[in-house]
Amino acid sequence: MSLGFSHNMMLAVYGTVWRIARPVLDRNKRLKNGLAQRLVPYGWSKRAHVWVQAASGGEAYLAWQMLREMPDDQQMTILLTSCTKQGIEVLEKAREWAAKEKSYLDVIVNYFPYDQPHVMERAVEMVAPKAMVLLETELWPGLLTACAVRDIPVAVFNGRMNPRSLAGYLATAGFWQRIRPTMIHAISDKDACRYAALFGEQGVYTMNNIKFDSVSVENATGKNPLVGKVIKKNTPLVVLGSVREEEESDILDLVIRLKKARPKTSIALFPRHMERVGLWEMMLNGAELPIVLRSQITEPPAPGTVILWDTFGELGFAYQLARAVFVGGSLAPLGGQNFLEPLAFGKMPVIGSSYHNFQWAEGIIDEKLVYSVDDVDGVFDQIMRILKRAAKPETVQKRFSTCLKDHQGGTKQVLNALWLMVKREV
């Protein structure tokens, strides 16, 4: 497929920007992990039927959910990629799970290549997928161009696009329209309308968010590996999950106030990005708070300790043990983080007023299963109320389970669409 002179000129400019930025990117703390793979060396991947790109940890769990629901008669090779170390860790766990539970699937996990056009051309040529899947908001010019040139269908699943992003894309609408995805399944009518404004209505659909499928009240029971090893049984615990950099000063203030009001209540602090752990350790020590890194725990610390979580993949287990939960990314104008998981454990989470990235879950908020407050003072007051009298977990789970039934099924929808792409029926 020929994309025309103007497109090739814009792609050349894009490639020049990459060449200028590469020396800086190569030294970036988050990107240095897997740098060799990002450059697509010889043997980076073998051919795969499907390539699924998941930007970070959250999207990686969506990819894992797709593996879970793949039918047993589909023998294929699947390449899973991510841009971050956290995403790769989740995908590796998904690969190990698939090796045991879906042995007919051959799953490969790699870091996502730099989108520098010649690097991405080499990657797409090496993998030669029958279909390319981008999860949520992954629109990469180099990748989309390489797929368009080779007539490889591309799908955006669980798609979302905010007004600001749309405005940026519309500034070069002609460029994007020449490499438009084959199909887009967006998680809301508003997101679908934004994609349609950029690409046209053809091939744009709405779907239920895959995140609802990955949450199960039934799976929220059973033995918790943290009990007796990291946290003493029946220890009063507040979990501050997915805390973002922009709200750190508020959360530090919250921790100090909670420790003063409830000195025997332990606090589990989960930074959203692991590179913030070192700074958090300095801030907590500077406030003269009793802290311990999760990775250094050999036996449960005394009640009242602040546990700074520097390992990935245990947030759900902490939610299960919590008396009260705050989910971050919501006190600063960041759009929020996923607050569904604590609900599966029967814990009604506290969030700030910024949750526009989760407007697809407004029905859950409307059902008053989530406490949305205006500022850190509101977070403190609500957590204190919960510590005094929390809702019964079984009651919360029952209400949440009823809400889930109306929002699930998105994974099956996109898998059906994926098989049509693989078979080249779209």
Side-chain angles (χ1 to χ4, degrees):
M1 176 182 176
S2 177
L3 296 172
F5 177 77
S6 61
H7 182 92
N8 290 333
M9 285 296 294
M10 290 189 68
L11 195 68
V13 172
Y14 178 67
T16 299
V17 173
W18 265 101
R19 286 193 295 274
I20 295 171
R22 271 282 304 277
V24 177
L25 294 175
D26 290 350
R27 294 191 297 271
N28 183 276
K29 289 182 179 181
R30 296 184 69 185
L31 295 179
K32 69 179 181 180
N33 294 304
L35 178 59
Q37 288 189 22
R38 298 180 197 275
L39 300 178
V40 189
Y42 177 78
W44 174 74
S45 177
K46 60 184 177 182
R47 288 178 176 264
H49 295 88
V50 178
W51 178 353
V52 180
Q53 160 59 5
S56 190
E59 294 85 356
Y61 281 114
L62 303 184
W64 192 346
Q65 184 62 30
M66 290 176 65
L67 293 183
R68 285 192 179 98
E69 297 199 27
M70 285 187 174
D72 294 343
D73 59 349
Q74 295 290 343
Q75 294 187 356
M76 61 173 58
T77 301
I78 300 174
L79 170 64
L80 304 178
T81 58
S82 183
C83 301
T84 69
K85 181 181 178 182
Q86 290 182 350
I88 290 295
E89 289 175 352
V90 174
L91 294 180
E92 286 289 359
K93 291 178 181 178
R95 182 188 61 78
E96 293 170 3
W97 174 88
K100 297 177 182 178
E101 303 295 333
K102 302 267 186 177
S103 58
Y104 51 87
L105 296 177
D106 181 10
V107 179
I108 309 164
V109 174
N110 280 327
Y111 276 92
F112 185 66
Y114 279 155
D115 197 51
Q116 195 169 1
H118 77 275
V119 174
M120 194 56 78
E121 287 173 9
R122 187 163 65 244
V124 172
E125 182 179 9
M126 193 179 297
V127 180
K130 294 182 179 295
M132 179 77 218
V133 174
L134 305 173
L135 293 174
E136 295 207 343
T137 54
E138 292 285 281
L139 297 179
W140 295 96
L143 174 62
L144 289 172
T145 298
C147 288
V149 168
R150 290 165 178 78
D151 194 30
I152 296 170
V154 177
V156 175
F157 291 153
N158 234 62
R160 56 187 177 91
M161 181 184 293
N162 61 47
R164 184 177 179 180
S165 296
L166 174 61
Y169 289 129
L170 288 175
T172 52
F175 175 87
W176 291 103
Q177 288 163 4
R178 283 187 287 271
I179 53 175
R180 78 180 309 278
T182 309
M183 66 170 66
I184 297 163
H185 290 252
I187 56 175
S188 74
D189 290 338
K190 291 181 180 179
D191 288 294
C193 285
R194 292 179 191 125
Y195 277 106
L198 177 61
F199 295 119
E201 294 182 358
Q202 184 177 356
V204 178
Y205 312 94
T206 57
M207 62 172 287
N208 287 335
N209 198 314
I210 296 175
K211 288 177 179 174
F212 285 113
D213 294 336
S214 62
V215 177
S216 173
V217 172
E218 289 75 18
N219 293 334
T221 58
K223 186 177 180 180
N224 190 309
L226 301 182
V227 176
K229 296 181 179 179
V230 180
I231 298 170
K232 291 181 179 179
K233 188 175 181 179
N234 297 325
T235 295
L237 178 69
V238 174
V239 173
L240 309 177
S242 300
V243 173
R244 299 279 293 274
E245 178 181 354
E246 293 84 348
E247 56 193 357
E248 286 176 349
S249 60
D250 280 338
I251 298 304
L252 178 61
D253 177 61
L254 176 64
V255 172
I256 293 171
R257 292 168 68 180
L258 287 172
K259 286 300 303 167
K260 183 176 180 180
R262 298 289 295 253
K264 295 300 183 180
T265 296
S266 295
I267 298 174
L269 175 58
F270 287 77
R272 179 67 179 87
H273 299 115
M274 288 297 173
E275 63 265 23
R276 305 300 298 175
V277 168
L279 183 59
W280 264 113
E281 188 175 11
M282 288 191 293
M283 289 191 297
L284 293 168
N285 280 322
E288 299 183 346
L289 295 169
I291 79 161
V292 62
L293 291 174
R294 160 65 182 94
S295 61
Q296 296 178 357
I297 293 178
T298 56
E299 60 182 29
T305 301
V306 179
I307 303 173
L308 179 56
W309 233 270
D310 60 342
T311 58
F312 190 68
E314 295 182 331
L315 181 56
F317 296 125
Y319 282 152
Q320 187 177 10
L321 299 178
R323 175 80 173 178
V325 169
F326 166 77
V327 179
S330 57
L331 281 177
L334 299 167
Q337 298 293 150
N338 193 351
F339 50 74
L340 298 181
E341 193 170 18
L343 284 167
F345 294 109
K347 313 301 165 67
M348 295 173 61
V350 183
I351 64 172
S353 58
S354 176
Y355 56 86
H356 55 262
N357 289 340
F358 293 85
Q359 288 180 341
W360 47 268
E362 278 187 333
I364 304 294
I365 297 175
D366 293 340
E367 291 292 329
K368 301 189 184 304
L369 283 165
V370 177
Y371 300 108
S372 178
V373 298
D374 293 332
D375 51 30
V376 68
D377 292 333
V379 175
F380 173 77
D381 291 341
Q382 187 59 56
I383 287 178
M384 290 299 294
R385 283 192 287 268
I386 294 172
L387 289 173
K388 292 177 181 177
R389 186 177 181 181
K392 293 182 178 179
E394 57 271 20
T395 301
V396 176
Q397 287 177 313
K398 185 176 180 179
R399 292 177 58 203
F400 181 52
S401 182
T402 300
C403 291
L404 276 180
K405 292 177 182 178
D406 295 330
H407 293 89
Q408 292 180 323
T411 310
K412 290 183 179 179
Q413 178 183 341
V414 298
L415 287 179
N416 288 336
L418 177 60
W419 303 142
L420 293 178
M421 292 178 61
V422 171
K423 295 175 183 178
R424 293 302 179 98
E425 295 180 15
V426 295

